[in-house]
Amino acid sequence: MGQKKLFRFAAIKNFSNVHEYPEGMQGKWNAFFKNDHPLVLELACGRGEYTVGLSKLDPEKNFIGVDIKGNRIYIGAKKCLDEKINNAAFLRTQIEMLPDYFSSNEVNEIWITFPDPQLRTSRAKKRLTHPRFLRLYQQVLSKEGCIHLKTDSPDLYKFTKTVIDLYKLNLIEDCDDVRSKSDREDLKIKTHYESLDIAQSNRIFYLKFQLPEHIADMDEQLQSMIKETEFSEEERFSAEDNLIVFTEDYLLARGYCCGNGCRNCPYDYKNVPEPKRTKLLSLR
């Protein structure tokens, strides 16, 4: 482990706003924050940009960023300490352990911002909007509580919409292009992973939904649907001239030009800025 990581892991042990696998915190977070404001979680918070940004936008709510990687939590936690942000804290633990740290109905909202989309079909159960995780959230989320997903992955966006439809979740808001269709301040907060544009979709997707009283056991049916509708890794990528590129079939199914100049773009690079677009067309 690098010296910087070692330093950060040691530092957060003394941060007043970081809890590492704390005992006896169920039902006591309002006591920690010294108020009875609504409690909001950001799951897989990474560097905590959303936890920090949301806490600044809404001082009448308490925010907790949850992640297992302490060296990342350090960045957001230190920013909160430096700026004296008192309505934000961080919890270092696995997401699967949420019910160990929060009591029933204690959480009012959950944000999932730019999680790993786990693109392989075999890893679908690791997607943070898979029913396996939704059942965990249900154990701590209030009856009127909601879940926010913000992602640059069209695959995770479509998968989550499939889950919402199949399990009859209550879809409150659906935006397939946040940058051009939404002026909400909470959706303008930018994370490190958003800036990387790993999915190369040139879009940000957003969903807001609520869970039903009971989440049906339809996971086998969901997995069958995934296998029928999602592209396998072999179908998604191809090796061309020693490069790994998206296939034309996958890009066509995605439904739009991302503007990044993909080699097999079926849309004549219509969202690629000039003069790059003309150059790419001339090479075909």
Side-chain angles (χ1 to χ4, degrees), residues 37-97:
H37 295 166
L39 185 62
V40 182
L41 305 184
E42 182 198 359
L43 304 183
C45 69
R47 301 181 180 188
E49 294 98 338
Y50 243 86
T51 298
V52 175
L54 289 171
S55 66
K56 289 181 177 181
L57 284 176
D58 198 340
E60 297 303 311
K61 292 181 180 179
N62 299 323
F63 298 87
I64 300 177
V66 181
D67 206 297
I68 188 59
K69 297 187 177 179
N71 61 306
R72 294 180 181 174
I73 283 177
Y74 168 90
I75 298 172
K78 189 173 189 305
K79 186 176 183 66
C80 288
L81 292 175
D82 290 344
E83 298 184 15
K84 295 180 171 53
I85 299 173
N86 298 318
N87 63 323
F90 294 84
L91 171 62
R92 181 171 177 249
T93 189
Q94 294 93 341
I95 292 173
E96 290 86 346
M97 296 178 65

Side-chain angles (χ1 to χ4, degrees), residues 155-187:
D155 301 276
L156 183 60
Y157 169 70
K158 291 176 182 177
F159 167 79
T160 305
K161 291 190 68 172
T162 297
V163 171
I164 290 171
D165 182 59
L166 180 62
Y167 289 80
K168 301 189 185 312
L169 311 186
N170 179 25
L171 179 61
I172 300 172
E173 192 169 344
D174 178 0
C175 182
D176 63 0
D177 192 349
V178 167
R179 290 170 179 158
S180 66
K181 297 181 179 180
S182 176
D183 58 0
R184 279 176 44 178
E185 291 299 317
D186 58 351
L187 295 183

Side-chain angles (χ1 to χ4, degrees), residues 245-258:
V245 299
F246 288 125
T247 64
E248 182 175 354
D249 285 344
Y250 170 69
L251 294 173
L252 191 63
R254 192 163 67 175
Y256 59 89
C257 171
C258 66

